[in-house]
Coordinates of all heavy atoms in Angstrom, one line a residue:
M120 N 0.8 -1.2 0.0 CA 0.0 0.0 0.0 C 0.9 1.3 0.0 O 1.9 1.3 0.7 CB -0.9 0.0 1.2 CG -1.9 1.1 1.2 SD -2.9 1.1 2.7 CE -4.2 -0.1 2.3
D121 N 0.5 2.2 -0.7 CA 1.2 3.5 -0.8 C 0.7 4.4 0.3 O -0.4 5.1 0.1 CB 1.0 4.1 -2.2 CG 1.8 5.4 -2.4 OD1 2.4 5.9 -1.3 OD2 1.9 5.9 -3.5
F122 N 1.4 4.5 1.4 CA 0.9 5.3 2.5 C 1.0 6.8 2.2 O 0.2 7.6 2.8 CB 1.7 5.0 3.7 CG 1.3 3.7 4.3 CD1 2.1 2.6 4.2 CD2 0.1 3.5 5.0 CE1 1.8 1.3 4.8 CE2 -0.3 2.3 5.5 CZ 0.5 1.2 5.4
S123 N 1.9 7.2 1.4 CA 2.0 8.7 1.1 C 0.7 9.2 0.4 O 0.2 10.2 0.7 CB 3.2 9.0 0.3 OG 3.1 8.5 -1.0
A124 N 0.2 8.4 -0.5 CA -1.0 8.7 -1.2 C -2.2 8.7 -0.2 O -3.1 9.6 -0.3 CB -1.3 7.7 -2.3
L125 N -2.2 7.8 0.7 CA -3.3 7.6 1.7 C -3.3 8.9 2.6 O -4.3 9.5 2.8 CB -3.0 6.4 2.5 CG -4.2 6.0 3.5 CD1 -5.3 5.4 2.7 CD2 -3.7 5.0 4.5
N126 N -2.1 9.3 3.0 CA -2.0 10.4 3.9 C -2.4 11.7 3.2 O -3.0 12.6 3.8 CB -0.6 10.6 4.4 CG -0.2 9.5 5.4 OD1 -1.1 8.9 6.0 ND2 1.1 9.3 5.6
K127 N -2.1 11.8 2.0 CA -2.4 13.0 1.2 C -4.0 13.1 1.1 O -4.5 14.2 1.3 CB -1.8 12.9 -0.2 CG -1.8 14.3 -0.9 CD -1.3 14.1 -2.3 CE 0.1 14.6 -2.5 NZ 0.5 14.4 -3.9
S128 N -4.6 12.0 0.8 CA -6.1 12.1 0.6 C -6.7 12.3 2.0 O -7.8 13.0 2.1 CB -6.6 10.8 -0.1 OG -7.0 9.9 0.9
A129 N -6.1 11.8 3.0 CA -6.7 12.0 4.4 C -6.6 13.5 4.7 O -7.5 14.1 5.3 CB -5.9 11.2 5.4
A130 N -5.5 14.1 4.4 CA -5.3 15.5 4.6 C -6.3 16.4 3.8 O -6.9 17.3 4.3 CB -3.9 16.0 4.3
N131 N -6.5 16.0 2.6 CA -7.4 16.7 1.7 C -8.9 16.6 2.2 O -9.6 17.6 2.1 CB -7.4 16.1 0.3 CG -6.2 16.6 -0.5 OD1 -5.6 17.6 -0.1 ND2 -5.9 15.9 -1.5
S132 N -9.2 15.5 2.8 CA -10.6 15.3 3.2 C -10.8 15.8 4.7 O -11.9 15.8 5.2 CB -11.0 13.9 3.1 OG -10.3 13.1 4.0
F133 N -9.7 16.2 5.3 CA -9.8 16.6 6.7 C -10.8 17.8 7.0 O -11.7 17.7 7.8 CB -8.5 16.9 7.3 CG -8.5 17.3 8.8 CD1 -8.8 16.3 9.7 CD2 -8.3 18.6 9.2 CE1 -8.8 16.6 11.1 CE2 -8.3 18.9 10.5 CZ -8.6 18.0 11.5
N134 N -10.7 18.8 6.2 CA -11.5 19.9 6.3 C -13.0 19.6 6.0 O -13.9 20.1 6.6 CB -11.1 21.1 5.4 CG -9.9 21.8 6.0 OD1 -9.7 21.8 7.2 ND2 -9.1 22.4 5.2
Q135 N -13.1 18.8 5.0 CA -14.5 18.3 4.6 C -15.1 17.5 5.8 O -16.3 17.7 6.1 CB -14.3 17.3 3.4 CG -15.1 17.7 2.2 CD -14.8 16.7 1.1 OE1 -13.7 16.2 0.9 NE2 -15.9 16.4 0.4
Q136 N -14.3 16.7 6.4 CA -14.8 15.9 7.5 C -15.1 16.8 8.7 O -16.2 16.6 9.3 CB -13.6 15.0 8.0 CG -13.8 13.6 7.5 CD -12.8 12.6 8.1 OE1 -12.1 13.0 9.1 NE2 -12.7 11.4 7.6
K137 N -14.3 17.8 8.9 CA -14.6 18.7 10.0 C -15.9 19.4 9.8 O -16.7 19.5 10.8 CB -13.4 19.7 10.1 CG -12.8 19.8 11.4 CD -11.5 20.6 11.5 CE -11.6 22.0 11.0 NZ -10.3 22.7 11.1
S138 N -16.2 19.9 8.6 CA -17.5 20.6 8.5 C -18.6 19.6 8.5 O -19.7 19.9 9.0 CB -17.5 21.4 7.2 OG -17.5 20.5 6.1
L139 N -18.4 18.4 8.1 CA -19.4 17.3 8.2 C -19.8 17.0 9.6 O -20.9 17.0 10.1 CB -19.0 16.1 7.5 CG -19.9 14.9 7.4 CD1 -19.7 14.1 6.1 CD2 -19.7 13.9 8.5
I140 N -18.7 16.9 10.4 CA -18.8 16.6 11.9 C -19.6 17.7 12.6 O -20.5 17.5 13.3 CB -17.5 16.4 12.5 CG1 -16.8 15.1 12.0 CG2 -17.6 16.4 14.0 CD1 -15.3 15.0 12.3
K141 N -19.2 18.9 12.2 CA -19.9 20.1 12.8 C -21.4 20.0 12.5 O -22.2 20.3 13.4 CB -19.4 21.4 12.2 CG -18.3 22.0 13.1 CD -18.0 23.4 12.5 CE -16.7 24.0 13.1 NZ -16.3 25.2 12.4
K142 N -21.8 19.8 11.3 CA -23.2 19.7 10.9 C -23.9 18.6 11.6 O -25.0 18.8 12.1 CB -23.3 19.5 9.4 CG -23.1 20.8 8.6 CD -23.4 20.5 7.1 CE -22.6 21.4 6.2 NZ -22.6 20.8 4.9
V143 N -23.3 17.4 11.7 CA -24.0 16.3 12.3 C -24.2 16.6 13.8 O -25.3 16.3 14.3 CB -23.2 15.0 12.1 CG1 -23.8 13.8 12.8 CG2 -23.1 14.7 10.6
L144 N -23.1 17.1 14.4 CA -23.2 17.3 15.9 C -24.2 18.5 16.2 O -24.8 18.6 17.3 CB -21.9 17.7 16.4 CG -20.9 16.5 16.5 CD1 -19.6 16.9 17.1 CD2 -21.4 15.3 17.2
A145 N -24.5 19.3 15.2 CA -25.4 20.4 15.4 C -26.9 19.9 15.2 O -27.8 20.7 15.3 CB -25.1 21.6 14.4
G146 N -27.0 18.6 14.8 CA -28.3 18.0 14.7 C -28.9 18.2 13.3 O -30.1 17.9 13.1
K147 N -28.0 18.6 12.3 CA -28.5 18.7 11.0 C -28.5 17.3 10.3 O -27.7 16.5 10.6 CB -27.6 19.7 10.2 CG -27.9 21.1 10.7 CD -27.2 22.1 9.8 CE -27.5 23.5 10.3 NZ -26.4 24.4 10.2
K148 N -29.4 17.2 9.3 CA -29.5 15.9 8.6 C -28.5 16.0 7.4 O -28.6 16.8 6.5 CB -30.9 15.7 8.1 CG -31.8 15.3 9.2 CD -33.1 14.8 8.7 CE -33.9 14.3 10.0 NZ -35.3 14.2 9.7
V149 N -27.4 15.1 7.6 CA -26.4 15.1 6.6 C -26.4 13.7 5.9 O -26.5 12.7 6.6 CB -25.0 15.4 7.2 CG1 -23.9 15.4 6.1 CG2 -25.1 16.7 8.0
K150 N -26.2 13.7 4.6 CA -26.2 12.4 3.9 C -24.8 12.1 3.5 O -24.0 13.0 3.2 CB -27.1 12.4 2.7 CG -28.5 12.2 3.1 CD -29.4 12.2 1.9 CE -30.9 11.9 2.3 NZ -31.8 12.0 1.2
C151 N -24.4 10.8 3.5 CA -23.1 10.3 3.1 C -22.9 10.7 1.6 O -23.8 10.4 0.8 CB -23.1 8.8 3.3 SG -21.5 8.1 2.7
N152 N -21.7 11.2 1.3 CA -21.4 11.5 0.0 C -21.3 10.3 -0.9 O -21.5 10.3 -2.1 CB -20.0 12.2 -0.1 CG -20.0 13.6 0.3 OD1 -21.1 14.2 0.2 ND2 -18.9 14.1 0.8
N153 N -21.0 9.2 -0.3 CA -20.8 7.9 -1.1 C -22.0 7.1 -1.3 O -22.3 6.8 -2.4 CB -19.7 7.1 -0.3 CG -19.2 6.0 -1.1 OD1 -18.8 6.2 -2.3 ND2 -19.2 4.8 -0.6
C154 N -22.8 6.8 -0.2 CA -24.0 5.9 -0.4 C -25.3 6.7 -0.2 O -26.4 6.1 -0.4 CB -23.9 4.8 0.6 SG -24.1 5.3 2.3
N155 N -25.2 8.0 0.1 CA -26.4 8.8 0.2 C -27.4 8.4 1.3 O -28.6 8.7 1.3 CB -27.1 8.8 -1.1 CG -27.7 10.2 -1.4 OD1 -27.1 11.2 -1.1 ND2 -28.8 10.3 -2.1
T156 N -27.0 7.6 2.3 CA -27.8 7.3 3.5 C -27.5 8.4 4.5 O -26.5 9.0 4.5 CB -27.6 5.9 4.0 OG1 -26.2 5.8 4.5 CG2 -27.8 4.8 3.0
L157 N -28.4 8.5 5.5 CA -28.3 9.5 6.5 C -27.2 9.2 7.5 O -27.0 8.0 7.9 CB -29.6 9.6 7.3 CG -30.0 10.9 7.8 CD1 -30.1 12.0 6.7 CD2 -31.4 10.8 8.5
I158 N -26.4 10.2 7.9 CA -25.3 10.0 8.8 C -25.8 10.3 10.2 O -26.5 11.3 10.4 CB -24.2 11.0 8.4 CG1 -23.6 10.5 7.1 CG2 -23.1 11.0 9.5 CD1 -22.5 11.5 6.5
S159 N -25.5 9.4 11.1 CA -26.0 9.6 12.5 C -24.8 9.5 13.5 O -23.7 9.0 13.2 CB -27.0 8.5 12.8 OG -26.5 7.2 12.6
V160 N -25.1 9.9 14.7 CA -24.1 9.9 15.8 C -24.3 8.8 16.7 O -25.4 8.6 17.2 CB -24.1 11.3 16.5 CG1 -23.0 11.4 17.6 CG2 -24.1 12.5 15.6
H161 N -23.3 8.1 17.0 CA -23.3 7.0 18.0 C -22.4 7.3 19.1 O -21.2 7.4 18.9 CB -22.9 5.6 17.4 CG -23.7 5.3 16.1 ND1 -24.7 4.4 16.2 CD2 -23.7 5.8 14.9 CE1 -25.3 4.3 15.0 NE2 -24.6 5.1 14.1
T162 N -22.9 7.5 20.3 CA -22.1 7.9 21.4 C -21.7 6.7 22.3 O -22.6 6.0 22.7 CB -22.9 8.9 22.3 OG1 -23.4 9.9 21.5 CG2 -22.0 9.6 23.3
G163 N -20.5 6.5 22.5 CA -20.0 5.5 23.4 C -19.4 6.0 24.7 O -19.6 7.2 24.9
A164 N -18.8 5.2 25.5 CA -18.3 5.6 26.8 C -17.1 6.6 26.6 O -17.1 7.6 27.3 CB -17.8 4.4 27.6
D165 N -16.2 6.3 25.7 CA -15.1 7.2 25.6 C -14.9 7.8 24.2 O -13.8 8.3 23.8 CB -13.8 6.5 26.0 CG -13.5 5.3 25.2 OD1 -14.4 4.9 24.4 OD2 -12.5 4.6 25.4
S166 N -15.9 7.5 23.3 CA -15.7 8.0 21.9 C -17.1 8.3 21.3 O -18.1 7.9 21.8 CB -15.0 7.0 21.1 OG -15.8 5.9 21.0
V167 N -17.1 9.0 20.2 CA -18.3 9.3 19.5 C -18.0 8.9 18.1 O -17.0 9.3 17.5 CB -18.6 10.8 19.6 CG1 -19.8 11.2 18.7 CG2 -18.9 11.2 21.0
M168 N -18.9 8.1 17.5 CA -18.8 7.6 16.2 C -19.8 8.3 15.3 O -21.0 8.5 15.7 CB -19.1 6.1 16.1 CG -18.3 5.2 17.0 SD -16.6 5.2 16.6 CE -16.7 4.3 15.0
I169 N -19.3 8.7 14.1 CA -20.2 9.4 13.2 C -20.3 8.4 11.9 O -19.2 8.2 11.3 CB -19.7 10.8 12.8 CG1 -19.9 11.7 14.0 CG2 -20.5 11.3 11.6 CD1 -19.5 13.1 13.8
K170 N -21.4 7.9 11.7 CA -21.5 6.8 10.7 C -22.7 7.0 9.8 O -23.8 7.4 10.2 CB -21.7 5.5 11.4 CG -20.5 4.9 12.0 CD -20.8 3.6 12.6 CE -19.6 2.8 13.1 NZ -20.0 1.4 13.5
C171 N -22.5 6.5 8.6 CA -23.7 6.4 7.7 C -24.2 5.0 7.8 O -23.6 4.1 8.5 CB -23.3 6.7 6.2 SG -22.3 5.4 5.5
E172 N -25.3 4.7 7.2 CA -25.9 3.3 7.4 C -25.1 2.2 6.8 O -25.2 1.1 7.2 CB -27.3 3.3 6.7 CG -28.3 4.1 7.6 CD -29.7 4.2 6.9 OE1 -30.0 3.4 6.1 OE2 -30.4 5.2 7.3
K173 N -24.3 2.5 5.8 CA -23.4 1.4 5.2 C -22.0 1.5 5.7 O -21.2 0.7 5.2 CB -23.5 1.6 3.7 CG -24.9 1.3 3.2 CD -25.0 1.2 1.7 CE -26.5 0.8 1.4 NZ -26.7 0.9 -0.1
D174 N -21.7 2.3 6.6 CA -20.4 2.4 7.3 C -19.3 2.8 6.3 O -18.1 2.6 6.6 CB -20.0 1.1 7.9 CG -20.7 0.8 9.2 OD1 -21.5 1.7 9.6 OD2 -20.6 -0.3 9.8
C175 N -19.6 3.4 5.2 CA -18.5 4.0 4.4 C -18.0 5.3 4.9 O -16.9 5.7 4.7 CB -18.8 4.0 2.9 SG -20.4 4.7 2.5
T176 N -18.9 6.0 5.6 CA -18.5 7.2 6.4 C -18.5 6.6 7.8 O -19.5 6.2 8.4 CB -19.5 8.3 6.3 OG1 -19.5 8.8 5.0 CG2 -19.1 9.4 7.3
D177 N -17.3 6.6 8.4 CA -17.1 6.0 9.7 C -16.0 6.8 10.4 O -14.8 6.5 10.3 CB -16.7 4.5 9.5 CG -16.6 3.8 10.9 OD1 -16.7 4.4 11.9 OD2 -16.5 2.6 10.8
I178 N -16.4 7.8 11.2 CA -15.4 8.7 11.8 C -15.5 8.5 13.3 O -16.6 8.6 13.9 CB -15.7 10.2 11.4 CG1 -15.8 10.4 9.9 CG2 -14.7 11.1 12.1 CD1 -16.4 11.7 9.5
K179 N -14.4 8.3 13.9 CA -14.4 8.1 15.3 C -13.8 9.4 16.0 O -12.7 9.8 15.6 CB -13.5 6.9 15.7 CG -13.6 6.6 17.2 CD -12.9 5.3 17.5 CE -13.1 4.9 19.0 NZ -11.9 4.4 19.6
L180 N -14.5 9.9 16.9 CA -14.0 11.1 17.6 C -13.7 10.8 19.0 O -14.4 10.0 19.7 CB -15.0 12.2 17.6 CG -15.5 12.7 16.2 CD1 -16.7 13.6 16.4 CD2 -14.4 13.4 15.5
D181 N -12.6 11.3 19.5 CA -12.3 11.2 20.9 C -13.3 12.1 21.7 O -13.4 13.3 21.4 CB -10.9 11.6 21.2 CG -10.4 11.3 22.6 OD1 -11.2 11.2 23.5 OD2 -9.2 11.1 22.7
A182 N -14.0 11.5 22.7 CA -15.0 12.2 23.4 C -14.4 13.4 24.1 O -15.1 14.4 24.3 CB -15.7 11.3 24.4
E183 N -13.1 13.3 24.5 CA -12.4 14.4 25.2 C -12.4 15.7 24.3 O -12.5 16.8 24.8 CB -11.0 14.1 25.5 CG -10.8 13.0 26.5 CD -11.3 13.5 27.9 OE1 -11.0 14.7 28.2 OE2 -11.9 12.8 28.6
L184 N -12.4 15.5 23.0 CA -12.3 16.7 22.1 C -13.7 17.4 22.1 O -13.7 18.6 21.7 CB -12.0 16.2 20.7 CG -10.7 15.5 20.5 CD1 -10.6 15.0 19.0 CD2 -9.5 16.5 20.7
L185 N -14.7 16.8 22.5 CA -16.0 17.4 22.4 C -16.5 18.1 23.6 O -17.5 18.7 23.7 CB -17.1 16.3 22.0 CG -16.7 15.5 20.7 CD1 -17.7 14.4 20.5 CD2 -16.8 16.5 19.5
K186 N -15.7 17.9 24.7 CA -16.1 18.5 26.0 C -15.8 20.0 26.0 O -14.9 20.5 25.3 CB -15.3 17.8 27.1 CG -16.0 16.5 27.4 CD -15.2 15.7 28.5 CE -15.9 14.3 28.6 NZ -15.0 13.4 29.3
Ligands
ZN927 ZN1 -22.0 5.9 3.2

């Protein structure tokens, strides 16, 4: 696997992810860019997951960051 390419695309999508996370956490209805299902928030003990129904959007947030 070419990790440099992976890192580059991760950096490119970081701002996109950040604005998506903001919208979802604000209670707005956001759809996954990939599968077009609704993205929802799953709160765990020490983390918050932001997922679409098919799990192609699957973002894990450290709960500490949200306090
Ligand atoms: Zn999806």
Side-chain angles (χ1 to χ4, degrees):
M120 186 181 278
D121 184 350
F122 284 107
S123 67
L125 189 74
N126 289 341
K127 199 188 254 179
S128 94
N131 283 342
S132 65
F133 181 70
N134 282 333
Q135 238 179 321
Q136 260 188 10
K137 231 166 59 174
S138 71
L139 184 146
I140 291 164
K141 263 192 197 169
K142 281 187 208 163
V143 175
L144 291 179
K147 290 189 177 143
K148 289 192 171 160
V149 184
K150 282 182 176 175
C151 175
N152 284 334
N153 192 49
C154 67
N155 219 34
T156 62
L157 211 58
I158 292 171
S159 56
V160 184
H161 304 258
T162 311
D165 60 353
S166 66
V167 174
M168 308 289 294
I169 292 179
K170 286 181 171 188
C171 72
E172 287 175 20
K173 295 189 176 172
D174 285 356
C175 44
T176 295
D177 187 352
I178 305 167
K179 189 178 184 218
L180 300 172
D181 191 332
E183 290 294 320
L184 296 174
L185 302 172
K186 283 176 184 164

